[in-house]
């Protein structure tokens, strides 16, 4: 079904600063929550990326979210809650392993898939009998969700096909005139979407890697599986969630991931960028700090230290948006495979980078 875009002329931008008095924050979020209760849409910061929120229990709100994003309506939304006691109402049973994971990682960047209860409309779950639930740790998100009535359906606040927004200005670029309010605040620290784990079966299955790694999950519940479609672009297995089949953001330029010994990677990338630039094209590089000064591309982005994937995670979507703005035709990224990275977060970075690169990887 084609989703109709609702025309809203005025999008209010409400900035909330760290030094705002609590009374003023409370007033702003009461206003924002009121918009959700009345069926409107508000973009809000979380610790992962900005979310585009609507009332999760109102099917018309969910329809509006799909319309504002231009997103296919069988790609399910995540329901955000602010309190563990609110979970019961929207799920039909909490399996013991889900209970343990929630206790260990909520509030935080972990989304759990449960069987849904009757109050959750199919418009929110993309037609599925399961519902994705997360409790964000961002304090503004938490208070906003409470003010909104406790259940906020929110995908990332970008237009479908664009990278998830990690700065308020990304949300402004994509959502002005399409939603009622944008809450602009700091604290979007992680920069990649939440880890998604299906807890409806005996063994929890990771559907999307994120800041909460497989090692962290297994440390709490023992055995966990990783959905095969996560890394393998050629996989013929049907994805578990409809959303996983959709093409994710790719920059306008051609993005290639280059893997190998650091000096070989630098040499290869410099050869390629020199060739492309000689042909009149602008080139870009996402490189680690250790070798950054050796690159000669038009636009060189600093991914931080090789052994710490958190910086590239925070910046990746900003880099991809900037390459488009800078008219970069060819982009080369170093690999951030987890073997380099102490945090284990490199897996999530690689997952998003592989999607953006259409799984083009060169070994040198
Ligand atoms: P986002 O792309 O950050 O808006 O998150 C939404 C994603 O969560 C979807 O694209 C799905 O991959 C996943 N998701 C949401 N609900 C479900 C569900 N019931 N079952 C499986 N995956 C889900
Ligand atoms: Mg998204």
């Amino acid at each position: 079904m084609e989703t109709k875009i609702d025309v809203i002329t005025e999008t209010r931008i409400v900035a909330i600063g760290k030094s705002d008095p609590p009374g003023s924050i409370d007033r702003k979020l009461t206003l924002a929550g009121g918009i959700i209760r009345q069926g409107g849409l508000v973009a809000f910061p979380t610790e992962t990326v900005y979310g585009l929120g609507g009332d999760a229990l109102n099917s018309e709100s969910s329809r509006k979210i799909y319309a504002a994003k231009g997103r296919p309506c069988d790609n399910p939304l995540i329901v955000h809650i602010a309190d563990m006691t609110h979970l019961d109402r929207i799920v039909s049973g909490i399996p013991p392993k889900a209970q343990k994971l929630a206790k260990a990682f909520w509030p935080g960047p972990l989304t759990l898939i449960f069987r849904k209860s009757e109050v959750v409309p199919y418009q929110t779950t993309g037609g599925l009998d399961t519902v994705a639930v997360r409790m964000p740790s961002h304090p503004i998100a938490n208070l906003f969700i409470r003010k909104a009535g406790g259940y906020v359906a929110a995908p990332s606040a970008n237009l479908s096909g664009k990278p998830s927004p990690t700065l308020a200005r990304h949300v402004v670029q994509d959502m002005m005139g399409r939603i009622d309010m944008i809450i602009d605040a700091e604290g979007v620290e992680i920069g990649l979407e939440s880890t998604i784990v299906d807890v409806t079966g005996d063994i929890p299955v990771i559907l999307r890697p994120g800041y909460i790694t497989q090692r962290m999950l297994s440390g709490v519940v023992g055995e966990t599986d990783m959905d095969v479609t996560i890394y393998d672009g050629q996989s013929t297995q049907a994805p578990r969630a409809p959303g996983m089949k959709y093409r994710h953001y790719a920059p306008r330029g051609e993005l290639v991931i280059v893997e190998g010994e650091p000096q070989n990677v630098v040499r290869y990338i410099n050869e390629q960028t020199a060739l492309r630039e000689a042909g009149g094209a602008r080139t870009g590089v996402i490189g680690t700090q250790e070798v950054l000064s050796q690159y000669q591309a038009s636009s060189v982005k600093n991914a931080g230290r090789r052994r710490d994937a958190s910086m590239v995670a925070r910046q990746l979507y900003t880099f991809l948006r900037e390459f488009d703005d800078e008219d970069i035709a060819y982009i080369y990224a170093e690999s951030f495979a987890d073997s380099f990275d102490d945090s284990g977060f490199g897996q999530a970075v690689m997952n998003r980078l592989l999607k953006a690169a259409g799984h083009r990887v060169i070994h040198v």
Side-chain angles (χ1 to χ4, degrees):
M1 191 186 83
E2 260 306 293
T3 44
K4 180 167 107 278
I5 292 174
D6 300 311
V7 180
I8 295 165
T9 45
E10 198 195 344
T11 302
R12 290 184 64 172
I13 300 175
V14 172
I16 298 180
K18 278 205 186 76
S19 53
D20 285 9
S24 137
I25 296 178
D26 196 83
R27 265 194 308 281
K28 288 171 180 170
L29 293 179
T30 302
L31 191 68
I35 292 174
I36 299 290
R37 288 169 189 268
Q38 285 159 29
L41 303 183
V42 176
F44 63 102
T46 79
E47 69 278 19
T48 58
V49 301
Y50 274 87
L52 171 49
D55 180 353
L57 308 185
N58 177 345
S59 58
E60 175 61 11
S61 296
S62 293
R63 188 198 64 74
K64 282 190 191 169
I65 291 175
Y66 289 107
K69 273 182 75 83
R71 172 173 175 147
C73 54
D74 64 347
N75 189 352
L77 309 175
I78 294 173
V79 179
H80 293 69
I81 60 173
D83 194 308
M84 193 61 196
T85 62
H86 297 167
L87 181 61
D88 277 342
R89 185 162 169 228
I90 54 171
V91 303
S92 73
I94 304 173
K97 285 180 186 171
Q99 183 79 45
K100 282 189 181 171
L101 290 173
K103 190 157 186 276
F105 301 112
W106 280 0
L110 176 67
T111 296
L112 297 172
I113 310 282
F114 297 88
R115 293 194 195 289
K116 79 176 193 70
S117 75
E118 294 206 329
V119 301
V120 184
Y122 282 108
Q123 281 81 356
T124 299
T125 65
L128 297 173
D129 288 315
T130 51
V131 60
V133 187
R134 173 164 117 75
M135 190 193 299
S137 63
H138 195 297
I140 289 174
N142 186 286
L143 188 54
F144 163 65
I145 294 163
R146 290 174 193 278
K147 300 280 190 186
Y151 303 95
V152 175
S156 47
N158 53 285
L159 285 175
S160 190
K162 294 259 218 143
S164 296
T166 51
L167 297 170
R169 76 174 140 84
H170 300 156
V171 184
V172 171
Q173 269 173 3
D174 285 11
M175 289 297 153
M176 272 319 259
R178 291 176 168 259
I179 62 177
D180 300 288
M181 182 183 280
I182 297 169
I183 301 173
D184 173 356
E186 288 183 354
V188 184
E189 293 285 334
I190 293 176
L192 296 184
E193 307 86 344
S194 58
T195 305
I196 300 182
V197 180
D198 184 344
V199 288
T200 59
D202 288 339
I203 298 170
V205 182
I206 300 168
L207 303 184
R208 177 169 79 185
Y211 180 81
I212 306 292
T213 62
Q214 183 165 24
R215 203 185 316 150
M216 291 159 78
L217 296 163
S218 294
V220 174
V221 288
E223 189 181 358
T224 56
D225 280 341
M226 184 77 86
D227 189 90
V228 297
T229 59
I230 287 177
Y231 293 106
D232 184 356
Q234 264 73 54
S235 174
T236 51
Q237 185 173 319
R240 292 210 174 203
M244 294 166 82
K245 77 180 181 226
Y246 288 109
R247 190 180 151 70
H248 271 249
Y249 174 76
R252 275 207 306 280
E254 183 187 286
L255 170 60
V256 174
I257 300 167
V258 186
E259 238 167 37
E261 286 300 316
Q263 281 318 312
N264 296 343
V265 169
V266 172
R267 192 176 333 112
Y268 176 83
I269 291 179
N270 277 339
E271 280 166 13
Q272 294 301 308
T273 53
L275 267 170
R276 299 295 191 186
E277 298 264 345
R282 286 167 60 77
T283 61
V285 171
I286 300 176
T288 48
Q289 209 160 291
E290 288 84 349
V291 292
L292 201 70
S293 63
Q294 299 178 45
Y295 290 117
Q296 286 141 25
S298 297
S299 175
V300 179
K301 310 291 185 194
N302 183 358
R305 288 181 300 117
R306 183 165 297 125
R307 294 189 71 87
D308 175 10
S310 64
M311 178 158 158
V312 67
R314 198 177 307 136
Q315 301 263 71
L316 180 64
Y317 292 141
T318 300
F319 292 162
L320 295 176
R321 282 179 183 255
E322 285 173 357
F323 283 135
D324 278 356
D325 295 342
E326 294 162 0
D327 228 4
I328 302 295
Y330 298 94
I331 304 159
Y332 302 87
E334 290 180 26
S335 169
F336 298 90
D338 54 341
S339 53
F340 289 120
D341 172 37
D342 295 335
S343 68
F345 193 19
Q347 270 199 328
V349 173
M350 272 312 270
N351 168 259
R352 307 309 194 279
L353 203 51
L354 280 164
K355 284 184 176 179
H359 289 266
R360 276 183 300 263
V361 182
I362 290 175
H363 300 268
V364 294

